[in-house]
């Protein structure tokens, strides 16, 4: 399958710090690509490069062969939608108005005629319809995260770039968010999701990229990439990878208990 978005040899530096080092990543239509790695591995930096928000100091980024830097901002906003880790709104807008901001790239186009229906669908998809009249600052952290997701869905971009979208959510809404990424990919789009939760990565990814110290150390199917040896090395913590006895699904379980407490204490 021809990639939708391709990064080749991407390098990003800030002063003496190397955030990305020779990174190659291809994002394919119909795929949920999950990026994992420890803190400081370069995950958010990679997402900003994929979004076109940060030009790499080295390497190339192309959208179906076209340099991403050559895409005009308005067109870029119609091609990709970005969900950041922080969910902030400068003024106390109502939830429905925050979600409607996602329609801004389509203003003046024929797609703008569908704004009301798209906003309503996005509110429902993120399970925030009942919050539509609330002011954004009055929401809990999890509710803000879901409203921000609804805004991204309302943008109707082909590529979703989601940075830690499940961090503030309960189990039900974690599942709902990743199910939306799956539906988007199945409908002909693509989704790149940054996760710290390895069990969720194993459950939902078509492909996993593991970043460590700014470099890609593994890229492939979850069963091939999420191995105990690799994850234990990358995270510097024992990670067990098992097979569920009933479903046969991959179980990725960071080890916790007295042995780990003793290691930390020592």
């Amino acid at each position: 399958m021809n990639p939708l978005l391709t990064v080749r040899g991407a390098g990003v530096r800030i002063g003496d710090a190397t955030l990305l080092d020779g990174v190659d990543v291809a994002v394919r239509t119909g795929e949920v690509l999950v990026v994992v790695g420890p803190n400081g591995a370069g995950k958010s930096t990679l997402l900003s490069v994929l979004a076109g928000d940060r030009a790499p100091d080295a390497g190339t980024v192309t959208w179906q062969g076209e340099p991403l830097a050559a895409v005009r901002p308005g067109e870029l906003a119609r091609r990709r939608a970005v969900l950041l880790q922080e969910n902030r709104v400068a003024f106390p807008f109502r939830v429905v108005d925050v979600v409607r901001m996602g329609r801004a790239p389509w203003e003046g186009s024929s797609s703008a005629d569908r704004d009301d229906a798209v906003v309503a669908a996005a509110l429902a998809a993120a399970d925030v319809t009942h919050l539509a009249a609330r002011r954004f600052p009055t929401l809990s952290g999890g509710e803000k995260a879901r409203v921000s997701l609804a805004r991204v869905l309302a943008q109707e971009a082909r590529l979703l770039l989601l940075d830690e979208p499940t961090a503030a959510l309960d189990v039900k809404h974690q599942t709902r968010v990743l199910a939306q990424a799956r539906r988007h990919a199945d409908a002909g789009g693509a989704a790149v999701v940054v996760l710290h939760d390895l069990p969720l990565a194993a459950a939902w990814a078509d492909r996993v990229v593991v970043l460590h110290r700014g470099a890609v150390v593994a890229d492939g199917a979850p069963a091939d990439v999420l191995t105990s040896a690799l994850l234990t090395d990358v995270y510097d913590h024992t990670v067990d990878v098992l097979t569920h006895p009933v479903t046969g699904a991959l179980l990725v379980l960071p080890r916790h208990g007295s042995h780990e407490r003793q290691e930390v204490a020592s």
Side-chain angles (χ1 to χ4, degrees), residues 213-226:
R213 297 174 181 169
V216 174
V217 295
D219 181 349
D224 297 329
V225 168
L226 299 177

Side-chain angles (χ1 to χ4, degrees), residues 187-206:
V192 179
V193 187
V194 171
L195 291 176
H196 272 299
D197 192 310
L198 296 174
L200 286 178
W204 289 96
D206 294 311

Side-chain angles (χ1 to χ4, degrees), residues 47 81-87 144-145 147-152 160-166 177:
L47 208 70
V82 185
L83 179 66
L84 301 176
Q85 291 183 34
E86 295 185 359
N87 303 289
K144 288 178 180 177
V147 171
S148 296
L149 174 67
R151 176 189 54 76
V152 166
L160 299 181
L161 299 170
L162 311 178
D163 197 354
E164 287 293 333
T166 63
V177 166

Side-chain angles (χ1 to χ4, degrees), residues 80-102:
R80 60 94 180 107
V82 185
L83 179 66
L84 301 176
Q85 291 183 34
E86 295 185 359
N87 303 289
R88 296 180 180 178
V89 174
F91 299 99
F93 292 108
R94 296 180 306 161
V95 163
V96 66
D97 296 322
V98 172
V99 176
R100 192 175 294 277
M101 292 175 188

Side-chain angles (χ1 to χ4, degrees), residues 164-189:
E164 287 293 333
T166 63
L169 302 183
D170 57 42
V171 172
K172 170 186 172 182
H173 289 102
Q174 287 178 354
T175 300
R176 191 162 186 143
V177 166
L178 293 169
Q180 288 299 325
R182 174 76 273 154
R183 291 189 189 99
H184 184 78
D186 289 345

